[in-house]
Amino acid sequence: PAGCFYGAQTLAQLLSVEGDQVRYPAVEISDWPDFQQRGLYIEDFWGSDLMTVEDYRDLIGRCAGLKLNTLIIGLFGGWEIKHDGKITQFLMIPLRRHPELQTPQVVRYFEPATRQWRELRYLPRMAEEDYLNEVIRLAAAQHIRVAPLWGGPAHVTLLPKLYPAVSAVDAAGRPAGYGYCMSQPATWALLTDILDEIVERYLRPNGLDMLQLACDEIYPIRSVYEDDPLAEVDPWCHCPECSRLGQAGQLTRYVTQLAGFLKSRGVKTMIWQDTFERLDAMSVLWDGLRAAGLQDDITMGWWCYKEPLPDFGKRLPIPNWTQPSVGTLASIFYQDLSRNIYGMLRR
């Protein structure tokens, strides 16, 4: 059925209308995809947080015309201070079990027509209207699978600040408000409860079987504390047990704990490679996956913004996706990413 659908897309793109005549060229077409998975990642950020269902309908139609079949949608993530001295974080869905988890946005801007400053206050539209299920069904009707993404353990400020018991702690034992303690039962109780709600409300009703857990960019950063933006904050936990695990052990425990839970719910897990690669910890992860019986339940996405490109020779014997940088963000200058795209795909 998908092949017939893509063939119809090609035929429609060949048609032209001249007056009251519909014309098409006399050609034979031989066409097939080079890659099994072809898609986009819609990150939870400014811009996507105000997308309506109609915006997604238009996006999905454009993706179908390009014969893409995968749409990763970011549900939760956080960044450093980026606007008006406030921490940046986005929760794109309502969590009924944890209604206290919300990310209200405030955008201040100057309106030239009235020559006045304006203030826009809102929740991300998907969280306000709870329309993720509708987006998933719209995508499925055009042979596109949605794979939601839940950020962490870096890019996380909302949960560790609201629930200090789950936060990574510094060398003095104080909650950092960034990252997680991988040795606290409270961490797994909170995260598995959230993931279980996502599975039960969005994945299982739509027959979806993949959730992405990110695991990217775990290193000390600044601009996390609004009252002290120059302070460097470490996402790794320094409690005695986490210290014994080391960084590679902490991240492996994060993956195996949550991937094991998702497996029990019939869901496979995707993670990103960059932190494991930077820590030279692929072997630690592989040992952890095999010990937990998860080696058949993990997919790894390989991404990189610029050269040098990742060393794909280090990849584990699991499904591996290449994810070149092709997108735009309001905070990134326009640039030609052709070298990144073609280099990643060739590898």
Side-chain angles (χ1 to χ4, degrees):
C4 292
F5 177 80
Y6 300 139
Q9 292 288 323
T10 299
L11 178 61
Q13 290 162 7
L14 289 172
L15 298 178
S16 62
V17 179
E18 299 177 11
D20 59 355
Q21 298 292 314
V22 177
R23 299 183 180 275
Y24 55 92
V27 297
E28 290 186 2
I29 300 169
S30 182
D31 188 23
W32 60 89
D34 291 311
F35 296 94
Q36 186 179 37
Q37 308 296 337
R38 310 172 302 279
L40 297 175
Y41 169 35
I42 310 302
E43 193 157 20
D44 41 298
F45 208 69
W46 285 301
S48 60
D49 67 327
L50 286 174
M51 287 176 68
T52 65
V53 172
E54 288 305 311
D55 291 327
Y56 270 101
R57 189 190 304 273
D58 179 61
L59 170 68
I60 289 166
R62 291 170 181 264
C63 288
L66 293 169
K67 300 171 187 173
L68 306 184
N69 63 4
T70 304
L71 199 62
I72 297 174
I73 298 180
L75 303 184
F76 172 66
W79 289 262
E80 64 273 21
I81 297 167
K82 287 185 177 289
H83 176 69
D84 204 36
K86 302 296 182 184
I87 199 75
T88 300
Q89 51 194 2
F90 293 91
L91 176 61
M92 306 291 278
I93 54 172
L95 292 172
R96 295 172 182 170
R97 301 182 193 177
H98 296 275
E100 70 279 8
L101 291 177
Q102 294 185 346
T103 54
Q105 303 297 320
V106 180
V107 176
R108 297 179 179 87
Y109 62 97
F110 184 75
E111 186 178 67
T114 62
R115 301 182 64 81
Q116 292 182 337
W117 283 94
R118 299 291 188 184
E119 187 173 271
L120 179 65
R121 293 179 176 268
Y122 63 94
L123 286 176
R125 187 158 288 170
M126 185 181 288
E128 189 76 59
E129 301 176 11
D130 196 12
Y131 62 65
L132 179 57
N133 275 319
E134 187 174 353
V135 169
I136 294 170
R137 289 190 289 267
L138 287 169
Q142 305 216 43
H143 300 277
I144 296 172
R145 176 180 65 164
V146 171
L149 179 144
W150 183 265
H155 291 296
V156 170
T157 50
L158 180 65
L159 273 64
K161 286 185 176 180
L162 194 59
Y163 310 111
V166 312
S167 173
V169 300
D170 62 19
R174 296 169 299 199
Y178 189 68
Y180 297 122
C181 176
M182 306 301 180
S183 304
Q184 269 287 354
T187 300
W188 312 121
L190 175 64
L191 292 177
T192 56
D193 193 42
I194 291 172
L195 296 184
D196 188 56
E197 180 172 349
I198 293 172
V199 170
E200 292 300 318
R201 291 183 53 210
Y202 302 112
L203 273 64
R204 183 167 290 171
N206 296 293
L208 300 181
D209 65 351
M210 178 179 282
L211 183 69
Q212 186 159 332
L213 293 179
C215 300
D216 63 315
E217 298 183 337
I218 308 174
Y219 41 70
I221 65 170
R222 302 183 190 274
S223 289
V224 172
Y225 301 144
E226 294 174 359
D227 59 346
D228 187 8
L230 295 181
E232 186 175 83
V233 184
D234 191 348
W236 300 107
C237 186
H238 294 271
C239 78
E241 185 173 345
C242 285
S243 296
R244 285 192 293 270
L245 288 173
Q247 295 178 359
Q250 288 185 48
L251 187 53
T252 297
R253 177 175 286 184
Y254 180 84
V255 171
T256 55
Q257 285 282 124
L258 297 185
F261 171 78
L262 290 171
K263 180 179 180 179
S264 73
R265 297 296 189 269
V267 175
K268 293 182 181 294
T269 299
M270 173 181 270
I271 58 175
W272 277 326
Q273 101 292 350
D274 63 295
T275 300
F276 285 104
E277 187 186 27
R278 181 171 52 81
L279 296 175
D280 195 22
M282 290 292 187
S283 61
V284 178
L285 172 62
W286 183 236
D287 290 343
L289 293 177
R290 288 192 297 175
L294 294 168
Q295 64 269 30
D296 297 324
D297 302 284
I298 295 286
T299 296
M300 182 167 282
W302 293 72
W303 69 273
C304 187
Y305 288 152
K306 58 187 178 182
E307 296 175 325
L309 298 180
D311 181 1
F312 286 93
K314 297 179 180 179
R315 67 188 184 277
L316 300 180
I318 59 177
N320 289 269
W321 293 16
T322 180
Q323 298 176 325
S325 181
V326 300
T328 59
L329 281 177
S331 55
I332 296 179
F333 288 115
Y334 174 79
Q335 55 194 298
D336 182 1
L337 293 163
S338 299
R339 285 172 62 91
N340 178 275
I341 297 166
Y342 287 105
M344 292 283 280
L345 295 183
R346 286 191 191 101
R347 290 200 170 195

